[in-house]
Amino acid sequence: MEEEGGGKVRVLIEKATTSTEPEVDPRLLKAIKSVVRRSDSELRLAAHILMDLMKREHSQVRYLTLLIIDELFMRSKLFRTLVVESLDQLLTLSVGFRNNSPLPGPTNVATALRSKAIEFLEKWNASFGIHYRQIRLGFDYLKNTLKYQFPNLQANAARLQQERREREKKSKEILLNKFETLKKNFASMKEEIQSTADEIGECLEIVRAKEELLCPLDDEDMEEFHSYEFRQLRLHSLEEAEKIHENSENKVVFDALRELYKLLVMKHLVAVQEWISVLVRVELTDNRARDSYLKEFIDIRNHIRSVKKKCEESGCAIPNTTNHEEEDFWEEGKIGSIESKSSSIPNNRTEDSVASTSKEVLDRVPECHANERDGNKRLSRKDGATNSDPLRSKLLAEAPEVNWGSYLDNWGSKRDVLANHRGLELESHWGRVDQDAVIPAEKIAELNLQTTLYKEQQVEIQPCRAPLSKGELCQRRDLRTCPFHGPIIPRDDEGKPLNQNPSKDEKTPDLGTDIVEQLAKQAVKNVREKDKELARKREIDKKSLKRAKLAKVREHNEAVLRDAAMASTSRSVDIGEDWVATNGENRSSRNKKKALASMLQKKETPKDRLAQRLLNTRASAATVRQLTLGEDANYREAFPNQW
Amino acid sequence: MWREIGDREAGKLRPNSFSNRIKSNRIQTLQLSNRKDIVSPHRGSVNSLQVDLTEGRYLLSGASDASAAVFDIQRGTDYEGGGVIRKHKCLFMVDKQHEQGHKYAVSSAIWYPVDTGLFVTGSYDHHINVWDTNTTQVVMDFKMPGKVYRTAMSPLATSHMLIAAGTEDVQVRLCDIASGAFAHTLSGHRDGVMTVEWSTSSEWVLVTGGCDGAIRFWDIRRAGCFHVLDQSQSQLGRRPPILKRSATIKGSTAKSLSASQSSFAKARTPQTKLMNAKQSPVGKIPVKGSLKQRLHPGMLSSQDRATAHYGAVTGLKVTEDGMYLLSAGSDSRLRLWDVESGCNTLVNFETVRLQTSKPIQLATSQNLALVFVPCMTAVKAFNMWSGKTSLTFRGHYEHVNCCWFSLQDQELYTGGNDRQILVWSPSRSVSDEDEGPKDEDNWSD
C-alpha cells in the first residue's frame, strides 16, 4: 500500500519537474498536495525526493522543485521541520552562494531560480522565522553577511500603507485648519458677499428704473394689439426691450455691474464652492457646527446663483466664464492668421508656390485650428478649381516645394533689372556710373537659384515581432530581414505570421532562382524609372527655363540619392542575407522540439554563425591561397633573378 | 525518565549515574535552540568561546574583528516573537574603538579560572591583554614575539598564575600575571605553536601542539619538555590492564565525592571537583617525568623528532580526568592519546575533513564520553571510545572554529566564520508553547 503510494508521489513529482515551462502544472501540483496531505510517510518521501531533485545539475529542475517545496512548505508543519534540517543545503543549491557550487545552466533559469529562492526565503522568514532558528539564521546570513538584496515585499507594503496613512492624516489636518479659519472669517465673508449681491441688486434697480423711464409709451400702444399673434409678437419685443441695452447714459452703471458680477462669479462663487467641499470632507467630533455652516453656505451659493442669473437675464453681463481660455486661443489664432496672410502674398504668383508655402505653414502651425481649417478650405477650393484641368493637377502634384524667402518677391518675372539703380544720391560717389546698366533676366534667375537639401523620408521600420522564448516579441528593427528570425512579415499580437504564404513567396526567396528573379525585377524597375524620368524631362522642357533648371537639379539629386539608398540598404544586402534567413528558418523549426537537455545547449550566437561562415574550409582555403600568392609575388619581386 | 526517578527514589540508582543518565538523554536530543538567541555583535569570524568556570553563566567570545564580548547565557536581555525567542545581547564588548583594544583579530579569549573578575585575550597584533571585567580596562599587557594563536590558564593552579601562550614563534612563553613578566620560555618546537593546554590533573603540566606536528609535554618546574607524543607508538584499547585497580579506586573516590558534592548546590565546576579526585595520576606524572629525566636534556634525538600528526596540530583537549588527550591535526585526523603511557589509542574517529589553516577549539564531556569537534561547517559529536559519530550539528553557513560544551546546562555553544554564535540545547520535552503564534499545518485544499 505504502509502496504504491510512494511510487505515486514520486511519479507525480518527477512528472512535474520534467517540464520546460516556467510554472509547475497546477493540476499536478494539486495532485501532489492531495497525495501528500493524506499521509505523513508520503510527505517524508516527498521531502526526500525533492531534496534529491534539488541536487540535479539543471536549473530548470531545481526551479520547479523549489516551487513545489514552497507550496508544501507553506502548508505542512512536518514538511517544514524536514526541510529546515537541511536548509543550508537547500539554500546552497537554490541561491548558489557558495563559490565551489555555482548554479548549473541554463543561465536565465538560474537567475530566476536565485531570485525566487531569495524571495521565498524572505517569505518563509516572515511567516515561520519565529519557529525555526535555521530560517532566521539563513536569512540573516544571506542578508547581513553576504549582503543579498531581498525584495522586501512585506516591508515595502507596510511602508506604502504607512505613507498613505500619513498623507491622509496630513490632509485631514489641513482640512481642520481650514475649518478653523473658516470659523473665524465666516461672518466677514458672508457680509462681503451680501454687500456685493446688494450692490448688484441696486445697480439692476437703477438700470431698470432708467429703462422704465425711457419707454413709458408702450402701455398705451398695447391696447391696439388685440389679436393673439400680435400680442405674442409684442411680448417678444417687450422682452427684447427688457434686455436693457447699454448706451452712453447707463454706461457707468453697466461698468460697475460688470465689475461686481465678475467679482461675484470669479471670487465669491468659487470660494463658496471650495468651502462647501471643505466642509463636506472635514471630519469633526461635533458635526452640528459643520452642518449649520454647510447649510448657510448652500444658502449663500443659491443666493449668488440667483443674483448671477438675474444679471445674465438683464444682459449686463455676458455669461461666458470660459472667456479666458478663448482669449488665449484667439491670440494664437492671430499669429496663425498673420502667417496665413503672409503666405497668401505669393497667392498672385504661380500656384506651385502657393501650394507649397501654405503647406509649409500648415506644418509649422498645426495648433491653430481655425487657420488650418481656412487653409484647408482654400486648398480644397483650389483643388476644385484645378481639378477640371487634369494636366495642371498632375503638375501640381509633382511640383517641387520651395522654402519661403524674399526671392519669391519677383518670382516668375522675366524683367531685366537695373544694376545701378537704387534711388540714392550717393550712387555716383566713386565716379561716373552707367545708370542704364542692366542685369539680364537669365542672370537674375541664376542668382536666384536656391539650394534645396534632400530630406530623406522617415520610414517607420517595423519591428520583427517574431515570438521569443521568454514570451515576448522580438523588437529588433531591420529593413527586410531580421538576422534572428528571417524576413520581416506582418504578424499578429502573438507573433504568428498573418498571411504567411504570399509573403513567403515574395520575401523568402530560395537561394538560386529568386536572386535572379529579383535582379530581373530590379532591372525592369530601373529601366522603367529611367523611362519615366525621360518623359518627365520632356514635359518639363516645354515649361519655363527656370522650372526646368530647378526640376533638373532636384531630379538629379533625387536620382543620385535614390541610387545611393538602393546601394546601401535594400536589395544588395538582401541578397547577401538570404543564407542567414534560410538558416534562421531552420533553426526556429528546430527550436520547437524543446526539452530539458536542449535548454542546456549553448544558443547559437551571431559570433558562431560568423565563425561558421568564415572558418569553413572553402573560405580558409581561399584565404590561404591568396596569402601564398601574395607571398610568391613578394618573393619574385625581391629576387627577380631567381626562378 | 519517570522510571529512572522512581528507581532513584527507591535507591536502586545511584545519584551520579542518575544524573548522568538524565544528562546523556538530554544530550542525545541536542538541537539548534529556537528559544535562545545569542546576538553576535562581532563583524568577523568567532575564534574562541568559553563559559566561565566558576558560575557557568558568562560566555566570553573573541572574534576576528579584534573584539571580545561577554554574554549572560542564563538571563536574556530581551524577548521577541511574543516571548518565544529569548535574545542574549552582549553585556559589554571591547573592540578596536577601545583605546587599549587589540588592533587585529583576537584569536583567543579566556576567563581567569578563579573568578570572572579578569579575562585574557590573545591577538594577532602580538599582544596578550589581561582585562578587568568590571571596568573593561586593560590591567596588564604582554608583548609577544609573534601572532598569538592560543592562550591557556590552568584550571587547577593554586600556586601560580601563568598564562601559557602559543605564538608564531617557536618558543612557548608563560606570562606571569603576578609579576607582569615572562616566567618561562619553553623551547623545543621547531615551528609556531598553534595550541596550548594545561593538564587537568596536574597544575605543573602543560601540553603544547605545534605547526611541526609535535605534541610536547612540559613540566614547568623543570627545564625542557619531558615527553613528545609519537603517532607510531600505539596501544589497543583504552588502557593497559595493569591500571585496572587504580581505575576502580578512581571510580569509588569519584562516587563518594559526588555524593558529598550533591549536598552543596553546585558550588564549583566539575573541573575543580575532579582536581582532588585525581591525586593518584598527578602523583605519577612527575615520577614518569623523572624517569625520562635520565635521558634529559636532549632526550634521544629520535624521540625528540617524533610527531603526533602529519602537518600541524590544530587542536588539543585534555579530558576532564586528565588521563586522555585529544588532538586534531591538519591531516584531518583526530587522535586520542593515553597520557599515562603516551600512546596513540588508535581510535578511528569518523572525521571527514577538518579546518587546516586555523586552530580549532574542541570540547569534551567526559562522563558522557563525547567529544565535540568542528568539522568544516558542521560540528560533530563523536563517541570518545568508538570514534563513531553520534550527533551532527548543522547550522553554520561557514567554517566553525570553536565550540564549548557547558555540562551544567547541557548546552553546546559554537562559533564560526559566519560571525554567529549558535546555541544548541536539548529539545524541550514538555510542550509549553502556549505563548506566541502557533506553528501549524495550513492546508488550503
Side-chain angles (χ1 to χ4, degrees):
Chain A
M1 169 70 205
E2 199 170 299
E3 261 305 299
E4 198 182 311
K8 205 169 168 193
V9 94
R10 187 185 290 275
V11 166
L12 280 174
I13 290 174
E14 290 277 344
K15 212 175 190 180
T17 51
T18 49
S19 123
T20 55
E21 298 296 310
E23 289 290 328
V24 184
D25 184 3
R27 282 183 311 149
L28 277 173
L29 190 61
K30 198 158 189 186
I32 292 171
K33 278 193 274 188
S34 65
V35 166
V36 150
R37 193 185 176 181
R38 247 179 286 145
S39 79
D40 280 357
S41 63
E42 302 249 331
L43 192 64
R44 279 171 207 279
L45 187 70
H48 188 72
I49 293 167
L50 287 171
M51 281 312 291
D52 274 353
L53 279 174
M54 280 309 286
K55 287 174 196 154
R56 286 271 178 88
E57 282 297 308
H58 198 299
S59 278
Q60 175 71 12
V61 177
R62 288 192 190 183
Y63 182 78
L64 294 175
T65 312
L66 187 72
L67 291 179
I68 300 174
I69 287 178
D70 175 58
E71 285 290 326
L72 298 180
F73 193 93
M74 294 305 285
R75 284 173 175 77
S76 163
K77 183 182 174 180
L78 178 63
F79 189 79
R80 278 198 286 277
T81 50
L82 291 173
V83 165
V84 146
E85 292 284 300
S86 48
L87 187 72
D88 58 333
Q89 206 180 357
L90 179 66
L91 288 182
T92 309
L93 295 173
S94 58
V95 182
F97 60 83
R98 289 199 206 283
N99 288 334
N100 53 6
S101 59
L103 295 180
T107 5
N108 54 340
V109 185
T111 321
L113 172 68
R114 176 177 294 124
S115 59
K116 205 81 187 165
I118 288 173
E119 194 189 312
F120 283 158
L121 182 63
E122 193 188 27
K123 188 170 76 180
W124 296 347
N125 183 53
S127 23
F128 305 111
I130 194 169
H131 302 291
Y132 302 97
R133 174 86 170 116
Q134 287 92 339
I135 298 179
R136 292 207 297 278
L137 265 181
F139 182 73
D140 186 64
Y141 180 69
L142 289 191
K143 191 175 184 183
N144 296 331
T145 306
L146 299 184
K147 311 283 182 200
Y148 270 90
Q149 282 294 319
F150 281 86
N152 226 349
L153 296 175
Q154 296 215 328
N156 275 345
R159 195 162 44 81
L160 282 182
Q161 187 87 13
Q162 176 78 11
E163 268 173 22
R164 202 181 330 128
R165 234 178 285 139
E166 264 172 28
R167 238 192 346 259
E168 272 171 18
K169 207 176 151 195
K170 217 183 246 172
S171 66
K172 239 180 230 175
E173 243 169 54
I174 291 169
L175 279 178
L176 263 183
N177 283 341
K178 272 188 181 174
F179 184 69
E180 291 301 317
T181 53
L182 173 70
K183 263 189 195 167
K184 265 185 241 158
N185 302 337
F186 181 70
S188 65
M189 260 178 57
K190 199 178 162 189
E191 219 164 84
E192 208 179 311
I193 293 169
Q194 193 57 49
S195 73
T196 314
D198 286 349
E199 274 173 46
I200 289 175
E202 276 165 32
C203 285
L204 284 175
E205 285 289 303
I206 294 167
V207 170
R208 216 163 273 152
K210 273 186 183 169
E211 197 71 6
E212 267 161 31
L213 278 177
L214 271 177
C215 43
L217 299 173
D218 283 5
D219 288 339
E220 288 170 20
D221 300 330
M222 205 169 157
E223 287 148 26
E224 291 174 18
F225 302 99
H226 289 291
S227 71
Y228 179 75
E229 287 90 11
F230 275 117
R231 190 171 294 171
Q232 206 60 7
L233 264 177
R234 195 182 138 67
L235 269 175
H236 274 293
S237 65
L238 269 180
E239 255 170 41
E240 272 299 304
E242 279 285 295
K243 282 183 185 163
I244 307 136
H245 297 291
E246 192 178 340
N247 52 31
S248 55
E249 271 176 57
N250 55 10
K251 190 173 185 292
V252 185
V253 183
F254 263 95
D255 281 344
L257 201 53
R258 240 174 255 134
E259 280 291 304
L260 288 170
Y261 173 80
K262 207 172 176 185
L263 185 71
L264 193 74
V265 173
M266 302 299 295
K267 191 184 157 200
H268 293 314
L269 189 60
V270 172
V272 167
Q273 303 271 38
E274 216 167 85
W275 283 120
I276 288 173
S277 78
V278 166
L279 282 172
V280 166
R281 278 182 299 160
V282 79
E283 275 176 35
L284 293 172
T285 45
D286 180 26
N287 274 344
R288 258 178 302 165
R290 189 187 74 167
D291 288 346
S292 69
Y293 277 120
L294 199 55
K295 245 178 239 167
E296 287 206 44
F297 266 118
I298 290 170
D299 287 346
I300 290 169
R301 192 182 60 182
N302 290 343
H303 183 58
I304 290 175
R305 277 191 185 156
S306 70
V307 170
K308 186 182 155 202
K309 207 178 161 196
K310 243 187 254 167
C311 281
E312 278 160 18
E313 273 174 1
S314 73
C316 71
I318 326 110
N320 53 347
T321 45
T322 53
N323 231 350
H324 299 273
E325 290 100 325
E326 274 174 22
E327 260 169 31
D328 290 346
F329 178 80
W330 279 110
E331 266 163 30
E332 267 178 58
K334 265 175 211 159
I335 296 165
S337 66
I338 287 164
E339 290 232 1
S340 72
K341 244 180 245 165
S342 69
S343 71
S344 65
I345 292 169
N347 237 355
N348 47 5
R349 300 176 212 283
T350 345
E351 270 84 6
D352 305 351
S353 70
V354 173
S356 58
T357 46
S358 60
K359 252 187 212 162
E360 274 297 312
V361 170
L362 291 186
D363 286 345
R364 238 182 282 159
V365 207
E367 69 264 24
C368 76
H369 304 283
N371 187 40
E372 192 176 13
R373 224 177 295 126
D374 263 358
N376 277 346
K377 250 183 231 163
R378 202 167 51 223
L379 271 182
S380 62
R381 217 189 306 128
K382 284 249 157 66
D383 287 348
T386 49
N387 266 350
S388 54
D389 189 353
L391 176 71
R392 207 177 149 192
S393 68
K394 213 175 105 192
L395 285 176
L396 259 182
E398 66 180 31
E401 294 175 9
V402 290
N403 284 329
W404 170 250
S406 62
Y407 69 97
L408 287 171
D409 286 349
N410 34 18
W411 178 278
S413 65
K414 284 185 193 169
R415 279 181 297 137
D416 297 344
V417 175
L418 289 171
N420 293 326
H421 199 81
R422 270 173 286 174
L424 289 176
E425 292 292 313
L426 285 170
E427 209 59 74
S428 53
H429 176 72
W430 296 107
R432 279 192 62 79
V433 175
D434 182 9
Q435 293 284 342
D436 299 330
V438 159
I439 304 172
E442 279 171 40
K443 200 77 183 171
I444 291 286
E446 216 169 282
L447 288 172
N448 274 338
L449 210 63
Q450 294 292 314
T451 56
T452 49
L453 290 171
Y454 174 74
K455 268 186 238 153
E456 197 175 7
Q457 273 189 332
Q458 282 294 328
V459 181
E460 174 85 15
I461 299 172
Q462 292 301 318
C464 167
R465 287 167 60 77
L468 294 176
S469 58
K470 11 173 209 183
E472 291 167 14
L473 297 178
C474 175
Q475 291 300 323
R476 243 190 99 96
R477 284 165 195 267
D478 294 282
L479 207 58
R480 273 155 210 282
T481 33
C482 172
F484 302 105
H485 306 99
I488 291 155
I489 46 176
R491 290 165 190 273
D492 62 4
D493 288 340
E494 287 172 17
K496 281 178 198 151
L498 276 177
N499 45 350
Q500 212 167 2
N501 295 339
S503 65
K504 241 186 188 170
D505 287 348
E506 201 178 72
K507 293 200 175 173
T508 60
D510 290 332
L511 268 176
T513 56
D514 246 43
I515 293 170
V516 174
E517 225 175 84
Q518 267 192 344
L519 283 173
K521 257 190 209 168
Q522 165 113 22
V524 168
K525 203 178 172 189
N526 283 352
V527 167
R528 271 187 204 150
E529 264 166 7
K530 264 177 204 159
D531 283 350
K532 264 188 213 161
E533 269 169 43
L534 278 177
R536 232 178 273 161
K537 262 181 203 163
R538 242 173 273 135
E539 256 179 19
I540 287 157
D541 277 342
K542 283 171 201 162
K543 296 287 167 185
S544 68
L545 182 68
K546 270 165 273 168
R547 267 290 300 284
K549 269 183 183 168
L550 268 174
K552 206 174 169 185
V553 167
R554 188 167 167 276
E555 206 69 50
H556 174 73
N557 284 347
E558 213 172 55
V560 165
L561 286 165
R562 195 189 300 128
D563 287 349
M566 200 94 86
S568 68
T569 51
S570 59
R571 301 278 170 173
S572 54
V573 179
D574 214 7
I575 291 163
E577 274 175 358
D578 275 337
W579 182 85
V580 176
T582 47
N583 193 46
E585 277 266 295
N586 287 344
R587 211 160 39 77
S588 68
S589 67
R590 230 187 300 131
N591 270 359
K592 266 167 203 159
K593 343 175 232 171
K594 262 208 283 192
L596 280 175
S598 75
M599 288 178 83
L600 281 176
Q601 273 167 7
K602 217 177 147 222
K603 270 195 186 144
E604 203 180 20
T605 58
K607 201 177 163 188
D608 293 337
R609 287 197 295 277
L610 275 175
Q612 213 175 333
R613 284 207 82 171
L614 293 177
L615 299 178
N616 64 5
T617 44
R618 227 169 1 132
S620 52
T623 327
V624 167
R625 213 182 313 128
Q626 222 160 11
L627 281 174
T628 47
L629 266 179
E631 247 169 50
D632 271 8
N634 277 346
Y635 184 78
R636 267 180 220 153
E637 251 169 52
F639 305 98
N641 54 348
Q642 295 182 7
W643 293 94
Chain B
M1 185 183 175
W2 297 114
R3 194 174 58 82
E4 279 156 4
I5 288 171
D7 286 352
R8 175 77 202 99
E9 206 172 7
K12 281 189 221 163
L13 207 60
R14 290 191 301 257
N16 197 20
S17 61
F18 172 68
S19 74
N20 270 354
R21 275 189 201 184
I22 298 257
K23 277 176 184 170
S24 66
N25 276 345
R26 275 168 65 78
I27 287 171
Q28 287 307 316
T29 62
L30 273 184
Q31 61 179 32
L32 191 59
S33 169
N34 184 43
R35 319 194 115 228
K36 203 169 183 179
D37 258 17
I38 291 182
V39 183
S40 168
H42 301 301
R43 289 190 300 277
S45 57
V46 179
N47 292 328
S48 165
L49 283 176
Q50 193 185 21
V51 178
D52 74 300
L53 306 173
T54 41
E55 280 180 89
R57 176 168 175 181
Y58 298 105
L59 177 72
L60 175 66
S61 66
S64 286
D65 62 339
S67 65
V70 174
F71 307 86
D72 185 344
I73 52 170
Q74 305 287 4
R75 178 181 289 180
T77 47
D78 51 5
Y79 291 86
E80 218 175 66
V84 174
I85 304 161
R86 192 171 71 190
K87 296 250 177 196
H88 296 262
K89 288 202 177 122
C90 61
L91 299 178
F92 66 86
M93 175 160 117
V94 286
D95 55 9
K96 276 185 203 167
Q97 268 71 50
H98 196 284
E99 69 264 28
Q100 294 156 307
H102 288 292
K103 283 197 203 67
Y104 305 133
V106 172
S107 54
S108 154
I110 53 165
W111 285 108
Y112 180 61
V114 180
D115 57 43
T116 53
L118 289 175
F119 65 92
V120 180
T121 55
S123 162
Y124 280 7
D125 64 359
H126 303 195
H127 279 275
I128 292 177
N129 286 358
V130 181
W131 299 79
D132 184 332
T133 315
N134 296 309
T135 59
T136 62
Q137 295 296 314
V138 173
V139 290
M140 204 162 281
D141 174 27
F142 298 96
K143 171 91 171 87
M144 305 305 286
K147 287 180 189 171
V148 180
Y149 287 129
R150 188 62 78 195
T151 55
M153 289 190 85
S154 171
L156 315 172
T158 51
S159 59
H160 67 78
M161 268 195 261
L162 294 174
I163 304 166
T167 61
E168 259 182 330
D169 193 42
V170 292
Q171 294 172 329
V172 178
R173 290 178 189 238
L174 302 184
C175 315
D176 193 355
I177 302 181
S179 67
F182 296 129
H184 298 60
T185 304
L186 310 173
S187 14
H189 280 291
R190 294 183 175 79
D191 203 343
V193 181
M194 277 272 208
T195 169
V196 292
E197 185 84 5
W198 287 92
S199 164
T200 48
S201 55
S202 163
E203 59 174 314
W204 313 111
V205 176
L206 178 71
V207 190
T208 58
C211 295
D212 54 355
I215 298 174
R216 284 170 185 269
F217 281 72
W218 314 83
D219 185 338
I220 60 165
R221 294 168 298 185
R222 289 158 205 272
C225 88
F226 68 85
H227 193 70
V228 181
L229 293 182
D230 188 352
Q231 56 185 328
S232 59
Q233 273 192 17
S234 54
Q235 72 185 35
L236 277 171
R238 295 165 65 164
R239 177 136 294 233
I242 275 179
L243 287 166
K244 224 168 193 174
R245 198 170 53 88
S246 74
T248 53
I249 291 167
K250 174 204 131 198
S252 61
T253 49
K255 181 182 70 183
S256 62
L257 199 88
S258 53
S260 64
Q261 289 273 319
S262 61
S263 56
F264 303 108
K266 45 180 172 181
R268 309 207 70 185
T269 56
Q271 275 97 333
T272 42
K273 257 190 266 173
L274 286 163
M275 182 190 80
N276 304 328
K278 299 299 161 316
Q279 276 309 334
S280 47
V282 172
K284 250 176 200 168
I285 282 170
V287 174
K288 229 177 154 47
S290 64
L291 272 174
K292 290 267 157 109
Q293 205 60 36
R294 268 184 233 147
L295 304 170
H296 197 78
M299 302 193 291
L300 278 175
S301 64
S302 66
Q303 217 173 346
D304 194 41
R305 292 189 182 280
T307 55
H309 284 277
Y310 299 109
V313 178
T314 52
L316 280 179
K317 183 77 186 171
V318 185
T319 58
E320 286 139 43
D321 57 7
M323 301 216 280
Y324 292 93
L325 175 73
L326 279 151
S327 67
S330 58
D331 53 357
S332 285
R333 297 274 174 198
L334 197 63
R335 296 210 161 95
L336 180 70
W337 307 86
D338 188 335
V339 172
E340 272 299 315
S341 62
C343 289
N344 183 1
T345 55
L346 292 181
V347 176
N348 179 31
F349 290 96
E350 297 171 328
T351 49
V352 184
R353 264 177 84 198
L354 296 179
Q355 209 179 334
T356 55
S357 53
K358 262 181 157 179
I360 56 174
Q361 190 186 326
L362 315 172
T364 54
S365 116
Q366 165 99 58
N367 42 6
L368 308 163
L370 280 180
V371 53
F372 300 95
V373 185
C375 298
M376 305 310 271
T377 64
V379 175
K380 287 185 178 172
F382 298 105
N383 185 302
M384 214 183 281
W385 311 122
S386 68
K388 292 247 163 39
T389 311
S390 72
L391 290 166
T392 306
F393 306 100
R394 292 186 183 282
H396 284 283
Y397 280 82
E398 279 169 38
H399 293 179
V400 184
N401 296 319
C402 51
C403 54
W404 183 265
F405 183 71
S406 155
L407 190 65
Q408 187 180 316
D409 301 319
Q410 295 93 45
E411 274 181 344
L412 179 71
Y413 306 97
T414 57
N417 282 349
D418 58 355
R419 309 180 295 111
Q420 297 287 345
I421 301 169
L422 299 188
V423 186
W424 307 80
S425 54
S427 63
R428 308 169 72 86
S429 50
V430 194
S431 57
D432 51 354
E433 294 192 24
D434 302 328
E435 69 273 59
K438 279 231 171 110
D439 181 24
E440 283 173 331
D441 277 6
N442 175 28
W443 292 98
S444 57
D445 40 358

